[in-house]
């Protein structure tokens, strides 16, 4: 961290020891890195550092991505991913799961959780399982503060059940084929959203400061998978979230 580099020679120079940065010295650093077993303490120190920036207004953005390694064939546990830039599937690479915390006082997001994993590992189960691990991590270290925000790729009953069971606040962008229960009847979420044109109006500004009028409505609903849990459907002109 002091060297701001992953190169062993730069790490060696950052140590400021009166030793020449030769091959044997770099091998020693490599061995020490391999034997590093204070990961838990490292994580806890980092959490203590960012803890003051986390509060009830924090939005935890959960999102998956990927690192593509098209020309690599022998990297450790190299798996296959979908290239989000091109839409191509079965590309050599690794998955990334990131939880970024947005603070109401600072523009820069804070990394609350970050993991690179491979679907080729023996202990890999599913991307949903990795997401649940991340959510458990956030709840363990920060409790139930803030709002968890997830895109439509996480519109899965597993996550609705997780959040309602743990009494957490969350927003999930819904898919068009999602069914909901409205006034005791099951209805497609898009058909329900089309009934509402936007009862409320607010003004939103983009990064350039340009103002735009936004219309929205909200109604109480539940899901067929968890009919006893009361949720709120937020309908924004152009989309819907639960």
């Amino acid at each position: 961290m002091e060297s701001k580099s992953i190169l062993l020679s730069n790490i060696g120079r950052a140590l400021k020891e009166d030793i020449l940065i030769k091959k044997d010295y770099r091998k020693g650093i490599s061995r020490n890195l391999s034997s590093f077993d204070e990961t838990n303490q490292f994580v806890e120190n980092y959490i203590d550092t960012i803890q003051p920036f986390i509060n009830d207004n924090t939005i935890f953005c959960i999102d998956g991505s990927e690192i593509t390694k098209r020309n690599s064939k022998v990297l450790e546990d190299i798996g296959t991913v979908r290239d989000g830039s091109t839409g191509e599937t079965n590309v050599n690479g690794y998955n990334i799961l990131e939880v970024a915390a947005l603070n109401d006082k600072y523009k820069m997001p804070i990394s609350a959780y970050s993991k690179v994993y491979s679907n080729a590992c023996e202990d890999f189960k599913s991307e949903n399982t990795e997401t649940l691990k991340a959510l458990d991590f956030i709840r363990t270290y920060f409790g139930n503060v803030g709002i968890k925000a997830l895109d439509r790729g996480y519109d899965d009953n597993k996550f609705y059940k997780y959040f309602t069971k743990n009494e957490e606040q969350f927003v999930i962008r819904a898919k068009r084929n999602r069914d909901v229960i409205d006034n005791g009847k099951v209805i497609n979420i898009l058909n329900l959203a089309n009934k509402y044109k936007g009862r409320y109006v607010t003004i939103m500004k983009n990064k350039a400061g340009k103002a735009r009028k936004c219309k929205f409505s909200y109604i109480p609903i539940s899901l067929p998978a968890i009919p006893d849990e009361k949720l709120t459907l937020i309908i924004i002109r152009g989309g819907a979230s639960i």
Side-chain angles (χ1 to χ4, degrees), residues 79-90:
T80 57
V81 297
R82 177 184 178 276
D83 190 332
S85 301
T86 64
E88 186 179 354
T89 58
N90 295 323

Side-chain angles (χ1 to χ4, degrees), residues 203-230:
I203 303 299
M204 305 292 292
K205 291 184 178 180
N206 60 19
K207 293 182 179 180
K210 185 177 181 180
R212 181 180 179 182
K213 184 184 294 185
C214 177
K215 294 183 178 181
F216 66 95
S217 301
Y218 65 91
I219 56 175
I221 62 161
S222 58
L223 300 179
I226 42 175
D228 296 329
E229 296 289 348
K230 304 302 179 183

Side-chain angles (χ1 to χ4, degrees), residues 69-235:
K69 296 290 184 178
R70 294 177 177 274
N71 300 318
S72 299
K73 298 181 180 180
V74 294
L75 289 177
E76 181 180 3
D77 288 329
I78 187 75
T80 57
V81 297
R82 177 184 178 276
D83 190 332
S85 301
T86 64
E88 186 179 354
T89 58
N90 295 323
V91 179
N92 288 347
Y94 299 94
N95 295 97
I96 305 174
L97 185 60
E98 181 76 31
V99 181
L102 301 182
N103 187 280
D104 57 349
K105 295 182 180 180
Y106 303 94
K107 293 183 179 180
M108 181 67 69
I110 301 169
S111 177
Y113 178 92
S114 185
K115 183 178 181 181
V116 178
Y117 64 95
S118 170
N119 53 24
C121 287
E122 291 183 1
D123 60 351
F124 173 79
K125 294 182 179 180
S126 68
E127 292 184 19
N128 281 348
T129 299
E130 292 296 331
T131 302
L132 291 173
K133 289 179 182 178
L135 294 174
D136 282 340
F137 178 94
I138 298 300
R139 187 162 58 89
T140 297
Y141 285 100
F142 302 108
N144 286 2
V145 302
I147 302 172
K148 299 358 181 251
L150 305 93
D151 208 348
R152 67 180 64 184
Y154 300 94
D155 182 7
D156 189 298
N157 289 332
K158 292 185 182 69
F159 299 116
Y160 292 109
K161 291 178 180 179
Y162 178 93
F163 290 126
T164 54
K165 176 183 177 181
N166 295 304
E167 299 181 346
E168 297 188 29
Q169 297 186 77
F170 67 96
V171 176
I172 296 178
R173 188 181 179 192
K175 295 178 181 177
R176 291 170 175 252
N177 62 353
R178 162 66 60 181
D179 286 339
V180 299
I181 300 175
D182 174 47
N183 291 323
K185 297 181 179 180
V186 177
I187 182 174
N188 173 265
I189 194 171
L190 186 59
N191 293 337
L192 179 60
N194 286 333
K195 295 182 179 181
Y196 294 83
K197 303 303 179 184
R199 181 176 181 180
Y200 304 95
V201 177
T202 187
I203 303 299
M204 305 292 292
K205 291 184 178 180
N206 60 19
K207 293 182 179 180
K210 185 177 181 180
R212 181 180 179 182
K213 184 184 294 185
C214 177
K215 294 183 178 181
F216 66 95
S217 301
Y218 65 91
I219 56 175
I221 62 161
S222 58
L223 300 179
I226 42 175
D228 296 329
E229 296 289 348
K230 304 302 179 183
L231 303 173
T232 300
L233 174 63
I234 303 172
I235 303 168

